[in-house]
Amino acid sequence: MKQRVFSGARPTGRQHIGNYLGAIRNYVKLQEEYDCIYCIVDIHALTSLEDTDKLQDNIYEMMLDWLAAGLDPQKSILFVQSHVPEVMELHTLLSMVTPLGWLLRVPTFKEKARMQPENVNYGLVGYPVLMTADIVLYKGEVVPVGEDQLPHLELAREITRRFNSIFGYTFPEPQAKLTSFPLVVGLNGTQKMGKTYDNYIELAATPEETLKLVMTAVTDPARQYRSDPGHPEVCNVYNLQNFFNPSHVDKIAAECRSASIGCVDCKKLLAQGVNSELEAFRERRAGFAARSQYVTDVLADGARRAQAIAKETLAEVKEKMGLLPRAI
Ligand code: SF4
Protein backbone atom coordinates (compact mmCIF):
# COMPACT_ATOMS: atom_id res chain seq x y z
CA MET A 1 0.00 0.00 0.00
CA LYS A 2 1.36 3.40 -0.96
CA GLN A 3 1.14 6.18 1.60
CA ARG A 4 -1.35 8.93 0.82
CA VAL A 5 -0.12 12.44 0.00
CA PHE A 6 -2.48 15.38 0.30
CA SER A 7 -1.72 18.89 -0.86
CA GLY A 8 -3.87 21.91 -1.62
CA ALA A 9 -3.13 25.09 -3.54
CA ARG A 10 -5.15 28.27 -3.88
CA PRO A 11 -6.71 28.99 -7.28
CA THR A 12 -4.30 31.64 -8.46
CA GLY A 13 -5.00 31.21 -12.17
CA ARG A 14 -2.22 30.75 -14.70
CA GLN A 15 0.85 29.45 -12.92
CA HIS A 16 4.27 31.02 -13.21
CA ILE A 17 7.75 29.58 -13.25
CA GLY A 18 8.05 30.16 -9.49
CA ASN A 19 5.01 27.88 -8.93
CA TYR A 20 6.49 25.33 -11.29
CA LEU A 21 9.95 25.17 -9.74
CA GLY A 22 8.59 25.49 -6.20
CA ALA A 23 5.65 23.10 -6.13
CA ILE A 24 4.25 21.67 -9.36
CA ARG A 25 7.46 19.86 -10.34
CA ASN A 26 7.47 18.19 -6.94
CA TYR A 27 3.77 17.23 -7.18
CA VAL A 28 4.49 15.47 -10.47
CA LYS A 29 7.41 13.53 -8.98
CA LEU A 30 5.44 12.43 -5.91
CA GLN A 31 2.87 10.69 -8.11
CA GLU A 32 5.36 7.91 -8.81
CA GLU A 33 5.85 7.03 -5.15
CA TYR A 34 2.60 7.94 -3.39
CA ASP A 35 -1.13 7.78 -3.71
CA CYS A 36 -1.63 11.53 -4.31
CA ILE A 37 -4.62 13.80 -3.81
CA TYR A 38 -4.19 17.35 -5.10
CA CYS A 39 -6.86 19.90 -4.41
CA ILE A 40 -7.52 23.44 -5.59
CA VAL A 41 -8.66 25.09 -2.38
CA ASP A 42 -11.27 27.57 -3.55
CA ILE A 43 -12.89 28.02 -0.11
CA HIS A 44 -9.57 29.17 1.34
CA ALA A 45 -9.45 31.77 -1.42
CA LEU A 46 -12.61 33.39 -0.05
CA THR A 47 -10.94 34.67 3.13
CA SER A 48 -9.87 37.80 1.29
CA LEU A 49 -12.89 37.98 -1.07
CA GLU A 50 -10.69 39.23 -3.88
CA ASP A 51 -11.78 38.73 -7.45
CA THR A 52 -14.41 36.08 -6.77
CA ASP A 53 -15.76 36.77 -10.27
CA LYS A 54 -12.49 35.32 -11.58
CA LEU A 55 -12.57 32.24 -9.37
CA GLN A 56 -13.86 29.80 -12.01
CA ASP A 57 -11.45 31.07 -14.66
CA ASN A 58 -8.59 30.81 -12.19
CA ILE A 59 -9.47 27.20 -11.37
CA TYR A 60 -9.68 26.31 -15.06
CA GLU A 61 -6.39 27.98 -16.01
CA MET A 62 -4.57 26.49 -13.03
CA MET A 63 -5.84 23.03 -13.84
CA LEU A 64 -4.65 23.36 -17.45
CA ASP A 65 -1.19 24.15 -16.10
CA TRP A 66 -1.24 21.24 -13.66
CA LEU A 67 -2.29 18.80 -16.36
CA ALA A 68 0.21 20.12 -18.90
CA ALA A 69 2.99 19.90 -16.30
CA GLY A 70 2.26 16.18 -15.85
CA LEU A 71 -0.29 15.81 -13.07
CA ASP A 72 -2.08 12.74 -14.27
CA PRO A 73 -5.73 12.02 -13.34
CA GLN A 74 -4.98 8.31 -13.82
CA LYS A 75 -2.38 8.47 -11.05
CA SER A 76 -3.74 11.20 -8.76
CA ILE A 77 -7.07 12.56 -7.62
CA LEU A 78 -7.36 16.14 -8.86
CA PHE A 79 -10.35 18.11 -7.63
CA VAL A 80 -11.74 21.37 -6.30
CA GLN A 81 -12.22 21.70 -2.54
CA SER A 82 -15.82 22.97 -2.60
CA HIS A 83 -16.93 20.17 -4.93
CA VAL A 84 -16.71 17.86 -1.91
CA PRO A 85 -18.82 19.77 0.64
CA GLU A 86 -18.13 17.17 3.36
CA VAL A 87 -14.99 19.19 4.10
CA MET A 88 -17.11 22.04 5.48
CA GLU A 89 -18.95 19.67 7.79
CA LEU A 90 -15.71 18.19 9.08
CA HIS A 91 -14.32 21.70 9.54
CA THR A 92 -17.21 22.51 11.88
CA LEU A 93 -16.76 19.28 13.81
CA LEU A 94 -13.00 19.78 14.19
CA SER A 95 -13.60 23.34 15.36
CA MET A 96 -15.19 21.83 18.49
CA VAL A 97 -11.88 20.30 19.55
CA THR A 98 -9.69 23.28 18.63
CA PRO A 99 -8.97 25.78 21.40
CA LEU A 100 -9.34 29.35 20.15
CA GLY A 101 -6.00 30.27 21.72
CA TRP A 102 -4.18 27.92 19.33
CA LEU A 103 -5.67 29.75 16.36
CA LEU A 104 -5.14 33.29 17.61
CA ARG A 105 -1.42 32.57 18.06
CA VAL A 106 -0.84 31.62 14.42
CA PRO A 107 1.58 34.19 12.93
CA THR A 108 -0.10 34.20 9.50
CA PHE A 109 -3.45 35.06 11.12
CA LYS A 110 -1.87 38.05 12.83
CA GLU A 111 -0.23 39.10 9.58
CA LYS A 112 -3.45 38.76 7.56
CA ALA A 113 -5.41 40.65 10.21
CA ARG A 114 -2.86 43.45 9.87
CA MET A 115 -3.08 43.38 6.08
CA GLN A 116 -6.91 43.51 5.90
CA PRO A 117 -8.03 45.20 9.14
CA GLU A 118 -11.42 45.99 7.55
CA ASN A 119 -12.17 42.29 7.05
CA VAL A 120 -10.82 40.15 9.91
CA ASN A 121 -13.35 37.40 9.32
CA TYR A 122 -13.80 34.03 11.01
CA GLY A 123 -12.41 32.32 7.89
CA LEU A 124 -9.02 33.89 8.59
CA VAL A 125 -8.82 32.61 12.12
CA GLY A 126 -10.40 29.24 11.29
CA TYR A 127 -8.11 28.67 8.30
CA PRO A 128 -5.91 26.07 10.10
CA VAL A 129 -9.02 24.10 11.10
CA LEU A 130 -10.23 23.99 7.50
CA MET A 131 -6.72 23.05 6.40
CA THR A 132 -6.73 20.19 8.90
CA ALA A 133 -10.13 19.07 7.62
CA ASP A 134 -8.76 19.14 4.05
CA ILE A 135 -5.99 16.72 4.99
CA VAL A 136 -7.68 14.35 7.43
CA LEU A 137 -10.95 14.03 5.49
CA TYR A 138 -8.91 11.99 3.00
CA LYS A 139 -6.76 10.43 5.73
CA GLY A 140 -3.73 12.15 4.24
CA GLU A 141 -0.54 10.75 5.77
CA VAL A 142 2.08 12.87 4.07
CA VAL A 143 1.97 16.57 3.28
CA PRO A 144 4.67 18.13 1.11
CA VAL A 145 5.69 21.40 2.75
CA GLY A 146 8.46 23.96 2.74
CA GLU A 147 10.15 24.95 5.99
CA ASP A 148 7.91 28.07 6.27
CA GLN A 149 4.74 25.95 6.33
CA LEU A 150 5.87 23.64 9.12
CA PRO A 151 4.07 25.58 11.90
CA HIS A 152 0.75 25.19 10.04
CA LEU A 153 1.21 21.49 9.69
CA GLU A 154 2.21 21.21 13.34
CA LEU A 155 -1.11 22.82 14.28
CA ALA A 156 -2.96 20.35 12.03
CA ARG A 157 -1.14 17.55 13.81
CA GLU A 158 -2.14 18.98 17.22
CA ILE A 159 -5.81 19.19 16.20
CA THR A 160 -5.63 15.62 14.88
CA ARG A 161 -4.01 14.36 18.10
CA ARG A 162 -6.65 16.10 20.18
CA PHE A 163 -9.49 14.60 18.18
CA ASN A 164 -7.94 11.13 18.36
CA SER A 165 -7.36 11.41 22.11
CA ILE A 166 -10.96 12.49 22.82
CA PHE A 167 -12.83 10.25 20.38
CA GLY A 168 -10.41 7.40 19.76
CA TYR A 169 -7.98 6.87 16.91
CA THR A 170 -9.59 8.09 13.71
CA PHE A 171 -7.04 10.02 11.66
CA PRO A 172 -3.39 9.34 10.91
CA GLU A 173 -1.26 12.24 12.13
CA PRO A 174 -0.12 13.90 8.91
CA GLN A 175 3.65 13.90 8.50
CA ALA A 176 5.58 16.67 6.79
CA LYS A 177 7.53 15.77 3.72
CA LEU A 178 10.06 18.54 3.87
CA THR A 179 10.98 19.72 0.45
CA SER A 180 13.68 22.27 -0.18
CA PHE A 181 11.85 24.49 -2.61
CA PRO A 182 14.31 26.74 -4.41
CA LEU A 183 13.78 30.42 -3.76
CA VAL A 184 12.73 31.83 -7.11
CA VAL A 185 13.12 35.58 -7.04
CA GLY A 186 10.93 37.61 -9.38
CA LEU A 187 11.94 39.78 -12.30
CA ASN A 188 12.27 42.84 -10.06
CA GLY A 189 15.16 41.06 -8.32
CA THR A 190 13.89 41.70 -4.80
CA GLN A 191 10.76 39.73 -3.86
CA LYS A 192 9.85 36.09 -4.36
CA MET A 193 8.29 35.56 -7.79
CA GLY A 194 4.52 35.92 -7.44
CA LYS A 195 1.38 37.64 -8.62
CA THR A 196 1.38 40.07 -5.68
CA TYR A 197 4.47 41.81 -7.02
CA ASP A 198 3.71 41.41 -10.72
CA ASN A 199 7.25 40.07 -11.21
CA TYR A 200 6.54 36.72 -12.83
CA ILE A 201 6.64 34.80 -16.11
CA GLU A 202 3.63 32.61 -16.78
CA LEU A 203 4.34 29.06 -17.86
CA ALA A 204 1.83 29.57 -20.67
CA ALA A 205 3.40 32.80 -21.96
CA THR A 206 4.39 32.75 -25.63
CA PRO A 207 8.11 32.68 -26.52
CA GLU A 208 7.84 36.35 -27.55
CA GLU A 209 6.13 37.34 -24.28
CA THR A 210 8.76 35.40 -22.35
CA LEU A 211 11.60 37.22 -24.10
CA LYS A 212 9.95 40.58 -23.51
CA LEU A 213 9.52 39.84 -19.79
CA VAL A 214 13.03 38.50 -19.35
CA MET A 215 14.36 41.70 -20.93
CA THR A 216 12.78 43.67 -18.08
CA ALA A 217 14.59 41.65 -15.39
CA VAL A 218 16.77 43.56 -12.95
CA THR A 219 20.43 42.47 -13.09
CA ASP A 220 23.58 43.27 -11.12
CA PRO A 221 23.07 46.98 -10.25
CA ALA A 222 26.84 47.55 -10.32
CA ARG A 223 26.93 46.74 -14.03
CA GLN A 224 26.12 50.16 -15.44
CA TYR A 225 27.98 49.78 -18.74
CA ARG A 226 28.61 46.83 -21.02
CA SER A 227 32.33 47.06 -20.16
CA ASP A 228 31.75 46.86 -16.37
CA PRO A 229 32.62 43.44 -14.92
CA GLY A 230 29.53 41.85 -13.33
CA HIS A 231 28.80 39.85 -10.18
CA PRO A 232 26.63 36.88 -11.15
CA GLU A 233 26.15 35.87 -7.52
CA VAL A 234 23.96 38.95 -6.94
CA CYS A 235 22.15 38.78 -10.27
CA ASN A 236 18.71 37.21 -10.48
CA VAL A 237 19.03 36.51 -14.20
CA TYR A 238 22.01 34.35 -13.30
CA ASN A 239 19.97 32.65 -10.57
CA LEU A 240 17.34 31.75 -13.16
CA GLN A 241 20.02 30.49 -15.56
CA ASN A 242 20.73 27.80 -12.95
CA PHE A 243 17.27 26.37 -13.58
CA PHE A 244 16.95 26.87 -17.31
CA ASN A 245 20.51 26.70 -18.63
CA PRO A 246 22.28 24.59 -16.02
CA SER A 247 25.02 23.40 -18.38
CA HIS A 248 25.96 26.98 -19.31
CA VAL A 249 26.14 28.59 -15.87
CA ASP A 250 29.91 28.28 -15.33
CA LYS A 251 30.60 29.84 -18.71
CA ILE A 252 28.04 32.62 -18.11
CA ALA A 253 29.56 33.40 -14.69
CA ALA A 254 33.08 33.63 -16.11
CA GLU A 255 31.96 35.76 -19.07
CA CYS A 256 29.94 38.05 -16.80
CA ARG A 257 32.91 38.60 -14.47
CA SER A 258 35.18 39.41 -17.41
CA ALA A 259 32.51 41.56 -19.11
CA SER A 260 32.75 39.43 -22.23
CA ILE A 261 29.00 38.89 -22.26
CA GLY A 262 26.50 41.72 -22.00
CA CYS A 263 23.26 41.55 -20.01
CA VAL A 264 21.14 41.71 -23.17
CA ASP A 265 22.79 38.59 -24.63
CA CYS A 266 22.67 36.88 -21.26
CA LYS A 267 18.94 37.56 -21.03
CA LYS A 268 18.36 36.30 -24.57
CA LEU A 269 20.07 33.08 -23.52
CA LEU A 270 17.82 32.82 -20.49
CA ALA A 271 14.67 33.37 -22.56
CA GLN A 272 15.83 30.65 -24.96
CA GLY A 273 16.37 28.29 -22.02
CA VAL A 274 12.93 29.03 -20.56
CA ASN A 275 11.24 28.64 -23.95
CA SER A 276 12.94 25.38 -24.76
CA GLU A 277 12.22 23.92 -21.29
CA LEU A 278 8.55 24.87 -21.62
CA GLU A 279 7.99 24.06 -25.30
CA ALA A 280 6.48 20.62 -24.70
CA PHE A 281 4.47 21.93 -21.72
CA ARG A 282 2.97 24.67 -23.87
CA GLU A 283 2.01 22.23 -26.62
CA ARG A 284 0.32 19.91 -24.13
CA ARG A 285 -1.50 22.86 -22.56
CA ALA A 286 -2.84 24.03 -25.91
CA GLY A 287 -4.01 20.46 -26.58
CA PHE A 288 -5.95 20.30 -23.31
CA ALA A 289 -7.38 23.79 -23.86
CA ALA A 290 -8.66 22.74 -27.28
CA ARG A 291 -10.74 20.00 -25.62
CA SER A 292 -12.95 22.38 -23.70
CA GLN A 293 -14.82 19.70 -21.75
CA TYR A 294 -11.68 17.88 -20.63
CA VAL A 295 -10.85 19.94 -17.53
CA THR A 296 -14.48 19.79 -16.37
CA ASP A 297 -14.50 16.02 -16.77
CA VAL A 298 -11.21 15.57 -14.89
CA LEU A 299 -12.48 17.69 -12.00
CA ALA A 300 -15.85 15.93 -11.89
CA ASP A 301 -14.17 12.52 -11.80
CA GLY A 302 -11.70 13.75 -9.14
CA ALA A 303 -14.55 15.07 -6.97
CA ARG A 304 -16.42 11.77 -7.31
CA ARG A 305 -13.39 9.76 -6.18
CA ALA A 306 -12.54 12.21 -3.39
CA GLN A 307 -16.12 12.25 -2.16
CA ALA A 308 -16.23 8.47 -1.85
CA ILE A 309 -13.34 8.68 0.65
CA ALA A 310 -14.81 11.76 2.34
CA LYS A 311 -18.20 10.15 2.98
CA GLU A 312 -16.59 7.16 4.69
CA THR A 313 -14.43 9.34 6.91
CA LEU A 314 -17.29 11.63 7.86
CA ALA A 315 -19.53 8.70 8.77
CA GLU A 316 -16.78 7.37 11.04
CA VAL A 317 -16.31 10.81 12.65
CA LYS A 318 -20.04 11.29 13.25
CA GLU A 319 -20.33 7.85 14.73
CA LYS A 320 -17.46 8.56 17.14
CA MET A 321 -18.89 11.95 18.07
CA GLY A 322 -22.30 10.45 18.85
CA LEU A 323 -24.05 12.16 15.96
CA LEU A 324 -25.59 9.15 14.29
CA PRO A 325 -29.18 8.42 15.27
CA ARG A 326 -29.57 5.33 17.45
CA ALA A 327 -30.84 2.30 15.57
CA ILE A 328 -34.25 1.23 16.89
S1 SF4 B 1 25.72 39.25 -17.71
FE1 SF4 B 1 24.09 37.98 -17.00
S2 SF4 B 1 24.71 37.28 -15.00
FE2 SF4 B 1 25.98 39.05 -15.52
S3 SF4 B 1 24.91 40.80 -14.61
FE3 SF4 B 1 24.26 40.62 -16.75
S4 SF4 B 1 22.42 39.40 -16.66
FE4 SF4 B 1 23.49 39.13 -14.73
Side-chain angles (χ1 to χ4, degrees):
M1 281 280 282
K2 288 179 176 175
Q3 280 191 299
R4 179 166 290 158
V5 159
F6 179 91
S7 188
R10 282 175 180 244
T12 49
R14 287 182 170 213
Q15 302 290 280
H16 51 70
I17 60 178
N19 300 128
Y20 176 69
L21 297 169
I24 303 173
R25 220 172 36 159
N26 189 42
Y27 279 4
V28 174
K29 229 187 293 160
L30 290 172
Q31 295 182 121
E32 305 309 323
E33 236 185 288
Y34 295 91
D35 168 18
C36 296
I37 302 185
Y38 296 127
C39 175
I40 297 184
V41 290
D42 56 345
I43 307 168
H44 285 291
L46 298 180
T47 51
S48 53
L49 284 181
E50 275 167 20
D51 296 336
T52 52
D53 54 328
K54 293 194 191 132
L55 203 48
Q56 296 311 312
D57 286 346
N58 284 349
I59 290 169
Y60 174 76
E61 295 289 345
M62 187 164 165
M63 202 59 199
L64 280 179
D65 284 335
W66 277 13
L67 292 167
L71 287 187
D72 181 351
Q74 303 298 323
K75 294 179 183 165
S76 302
I77 297 180
L78 310 173
F79 75 108
V80 176
Q81 185 186 28
S82 68
H83 296 182
V84 183
E86 283 77 2
V87 75
M88 293 177 258
E89 215 172 332
L90 184 59
H91 164 240
T92 303
L93 298 176
L94 291 180
S95 73
M96 306 304 167
V97 301
T98 308
L100 189 55
W102 290 4
L103 301 175
L104 294 174
R105 277 200 299 271
V106 175
T108 45
F109 165 65
K110 292 183 185 167
E111 193 189 318
K112 292 260 171 159
R114 208 165 11 90
M115 280 164 65
Q116 52 181 73
E118 73 299 337
N119 183 22
V120 184
N121 54 63
Y122 164 74
L124 280 181
V125 77
Y127 159 85
V129 186
L130 182 56
M131 190 189 103
T132 308
D134 285 325
I135 302 167
V136 301
L137 184 60
Y138 306 103
K139 305 222 169 170
E141 297 163 286
V142 177
V143 180
V145 284
E147 195 102 29
D148 57 329
Q149 293 159 312
L150 273 179
H152 286 133
L153 189 67
E154 193 43 47
L155 186 47
R157 285 160 55 82
E158 279 180 64
I159 296 170
T160 307
R161 275 198 293 272
R162 194 164 157 89
F163 185 96
N164 286 345
S165 78
I166 297 172
F167 297 107
Y169 180 81
T170 310
F171 306 117
E173 248 179 67
Q175 307 293 321
K177 182 165 177 56
L178 250 189
T179 314
S180 56
F181 300 121
L183 175 65
V184 183
V185 175
L187 297 172
N188 59 0
T190 44
Q191 285 101 354
K192 191 174 160 185
M193 186 176 285
K195 299 215 166 172
T196 320
Y197 303 107
D198 197 17
N199 61 359
Y200 58 92
I201 301 171
E202 284 178 352
L203 295 170
T206 63
E208 297 72 31
E209 286 164 348
T210 303
L211 176 63
K212 216 166 147 193
L213 285 166
V214 170
M215 285 299 169
T216 67
V218 172
T219 62
D220 172 11
R223 211 167 171 205
Q224 301 274 328
Y225 299 100
R226 169 72 176 75
S227 52
D228 292 339
H231 308 84
E233 62 283 356
V234 300
C235 174
N236 190 37
V237 171
Y238 181 73
N239 182 34
L240 291 170
Q241 301 279 22
N242 282 294
F243 302 115
F244 294 103
N245 282 316
S247 56
H248 292 71
V249 284
D250 292 343
K251 187 165 177 273
I252 293 169
E255 289 182 350
C256 173
R257 287 197 179 94
S258 62
S260 52
I261 186 172
C263 293
V264 170
D265 287 336
C266 187
K267 287 176 174 179
K268 283 184 183 161
L269 204 61
L270 174 62
Q272 268 170 27
V274 173
N275 287 332
S276 96
E277 169 88 14
L278 294 178
E279 193 181 346
F281 164 92
R282 288 167 177 168
E283 269 172 33
R284 282 193 299 272
R285 193 185 200 278
F288 290 130
R291 297 154 64 193
S292 58
Q293 187 59 28
Y294 183 67
V295 167
T296 312
D297 291 346
V298 166
L299 290 177
D301 182 59
R304 186 188 52 75
R305 288 152 68 200
Q307 193 165 37
I309 305 169
K311 279 186 183 298
E312 264 186 42
T313 307
L314 199 59
E316 186 185 349
V317 168
K318 284 180 165 178
E319 203 257 313
K320 290 194 167 146
M321 294 183 92
L323 292 169
L324 291 189
R326 195 181 295 164
I328 301 172

